[in-house]
Amino acid sequence: MEKTTSVLMAGVGGQGIILASDILSEVMLDAGYDVKKSEIHGMAQRGGSVSSHIRFGKKVYSPTIPKGSADFLICFEKLELLRWLDYCNEDTRVIVNDLELNPPMVNLGEAEYPRELFEETIKKFKNLTLVPASKTALDMGNIRAANVVMIGIFSKYFDVEEKLWLDKILGKLPEKLHDLNRKAFTEGRKLG
Amino acid sequence: MKKLLSGNEAIARGAYEAGATFASAYPGTPSTEILETVAKEYPEIYAEWSPNEKVAMEVAMGAAFTGARAMVAMKHVGVNVAADPLMTLSYTGICGGLVVVTADDPQLYSSQNEQDNRNYAKFAKIPMLEPSDSQEAKDFVVRAFEISEQFDTPVMVRSVTRISHARTPVELKERMKPPLEVKIRKDPPKYVMLPVYGRKRHVVVEERFKKLKEFAETFDLNKMEINDTEIGIITSGISYQYAKEVFPNASYLKLGMIWPFPEKMIKDFRSKVKKLYVIEELDPFIEENLKIMGVQVDLGKDTLPICGELTPTIIKEKVAGIPEEPFLANPENIPPRPPNMCPGCPHRGMFYTIKKLKLYATGDIGCYTLGALPPLTSLDTCVCMGASIGHSMGMSKALGDEGRGKFVAVIGDSTFMHSGMTGLADVVYNKSYATVIIADNRITAMTGAQDHPATGYTIRGEATHAVDFEELGKALGFKHIVKANPYDLETYEKILKEETERDEPSLIINQGPCALLRRALPKAKKPFYVDVDKCIGCKRCIGLGCPAITWNAEEGTNADGKKRKGYAVIEPTLCNGCALCYQLCNVDAIKTEDKVFYGLVENL
């Protein structure tokens, strides 16, 4: 792969985005690519907007993605899509978890969740998929597995064998969580 | 085999591979994980959280004076605190290698300013290396130790947020044995900076600097890449990566050592290219020094911004002249998700009370700085570590008796250990009536739970002595010291009112561990809930700004027929039962199935 692939992940603190982006970047390193990943942590980020840039290819320079050049935008929450549009182009593949989490201003009744704007925006992408990752995890009995469902979903878009993903995921989790997450990953693969 | 490491993990690995046996730091974003990694991964290295960066620097010096290899790490503003020892360390030199890591924070992701610490290398007349990814971060630390010993100088290594918090592949190597024997070496003319010795050492510094300039000319980390000679770019660190992203075919002079400059190499590079661009983040450090050398620069800070983080997008637009034409623009007014104090945070009750009493609060650095944001909006200053106490002290003298009962200083426990004690001594010594709150949550919370001298634990979790703030206050001369539960709103208000109105100094010590500090919270409390039939929609609980309380704007009436514009809801997975909202509710609509007590720990 001569061209660098750029993946932007976005969501809300606590959704497991850093873990998901760690797994994607480690899988790509094992698959033989140069990899760079960048995100912002520090400050009290719980409930804050979180994003992670992952880039891989033959040789990667900038750890952050230039605007307009994300090949993938993976959103763990719907509203977060609206903060990262300027990183997209018309070919960007967008995967959005069908989940709404209210920002504080919406909670306090000072703003509305931009539902209509979201609906309008998603029509503009030709490669956009809305996926029920949180619902799938909830049905399985653990909402926290939603990020692994998301990994299962987006893993289908990359030409890397399934086992490599699963080994990497389980390698990062304590054994008692293995069954749940194996299932979450498999369910995600089905949705992808 | 290659491993993905963050820049901070790579810096720690570099110290390990270089055979360092000593590492010290005070936590601060984006540098914190350097020492955390040392403590977790490399038991061969002694590791400590020092009370502040000045102490961290001094203990590392002490270790290096014996011949040990030592590393000290801090965020950019930490170097200001450590600048006093650093400037004279340049004179004494080291013995064993001493590497000073500064992690700068362009864009102020988690800082009070975005100062460019490359200036410190020039100021202190010491070399500085600047890696551009994790591999270099590790390798440059090893090289920094070698240069340090070769030239008898401390060496700075500068990272930035996008190096420290980016993960890139790193080839690992074995740990080496450091060259020097560790022992006491007596040499007063070198290590005692009396004027008579200091004058001689200044001459040594200047001679060393000349030698370092010569060394820079052939130093292999300063790399020339001659490609298309139309444009030549001089750059360093992360800016190199951004520039390569936009101009992969241009010619480059990448300065691995950002100070001192390889002057001949630069002039040679200039002669090889038609136009010379300087691409650097923050200050025009390279550019100004090139101009001093008489090198013509065709593009620099006349085009690139001084403020904020550099990005490939900015370089593309400003330097390459390719305007940004996004496929879709980001819509305005998307509700933000700002950082907020956690549910059950011990600071919330304090700020609620400060707001209620309309006190002006001089503030400090930590999670509690978030008290400045709505809806609590009850913090009025924040400049640097420890300044809250000085600010209140100064205000008390400027305002005189008029100021009594009108202001208070708020400082966290870790920040107090860092820089609060001297300010506190001043309050008593110079007879102020200032009131100081130590918002003691028993941890350095903002940077992700690091221990400090008042927590009772070391960086590696060993039990140790914990500083007693009450005894310390007494020793400094405070006659009025109150331990207060910031979750008990009525009592806390009474205490705060009484103490701020005194004509003598007073110290309030909050008793409430961080809501995320598991070792202090033995038992989880059950969440509170809103009895929707009773809620009248008065929004008193909403005013706390607790992330667990949300507003449901559904107009109607409650069970008693009272009209309301909506009602409050408590999210059970977020609420940890601190009972602040419970105390504010006038209609007993907030309830729990647990025993009611104020706070997360009983009998505070």
Side-chain angles (χ1 to χ4, degrees), chain A residues 22 37-38 55 80 107, chain B residues 162 167 245 335 337 551:
Chain A
D22 274 345
K37 175 183 118 110
S38 178
R55 310 189 75 208
E80 293 304 307
N107 270 347
Chain B
R162 295 294 184 182
R167 297 181 75 202
E245 185 77 31
R337 299 185 198 270
W551 175 246

Side-chain angles (χ1 to χ4, degrees), chain B residues 149-208:
Chain B
E149 284 162 3
Q150 187 182 343
F151 292 92
D152 190 20
T153 175
V155 177
M156 291 184 86
V157 173
R158 177 181 184 251
S159 176
V160 292
T161 302
R162 295 294 184 182
I163 298 290
S164 282
H165 287 174
R167 297 181 75 202
T168 75
V170 179
E171 193 79 56
L172 306 184
K173 284 189 184 161
E174 295 297 308
R175 179 169 165 88
M176 65 178 83
K177 197 178 173 304
L180 294 173
E181 190 196 343
V182 176
K183 60 177 186 187
I184 290 179
R185 291 174 164 81
K186 226 174 139 65
D187 191 355
K190 184 169 186 301
Y191 295 113
V192 182
M193 285 306 97
L194 278 167
V196 59
Y197 295 144
R199 277 179 211 115
K200 286 181 184 145
R201 290 301 301 179
H202 186 188
V203 177
V204 174
V205 169
E206 298 304 326
E207 280 167 5
R208 181 183 71 199

Side-chain angles (χ1 to χ4, degrees), chain A residues 12 22 26 35-38 43-44 48 55 61-62 67 77 80 82-83 85-86 89 101 103 107-108 124, chain B residues 110 162 165-169 241-242 244-245 312-313 324 327-328 330-331 335-337 339 446 542 550-551:
Chain A
V12 178
D22 274 345
E26 287 175 26
V35 182
K36 285 189 178 175
K37 175 183 118 110
S38 178
M43 288 291 277
R55 310 189 75 208
Y61 293 111
S62 172
K67 284 184 183 174
E77 197 273 347
E80 293 304 307
L82 304 173
R83 295 190 212 281
L85 298 175
D86 54 348
N89 53 60
L101 294 174
N107 270 347
L108 301 176
K124 293 175 184 163
Chain B
S110 196
R162 295 294 184 182
H165 287 174
R167 297 181 75 202
T168 75
Q241 306 288 3
Y242 298 151
K244 282 291 271 191
E245 185 77 31
T313 312
E324 193 202 328
F327 156 64
L328 291 173
N330 284 345
R337 299 185 198 270
M446 185 61 127
I542 297 278
T550 66
W551 175 246

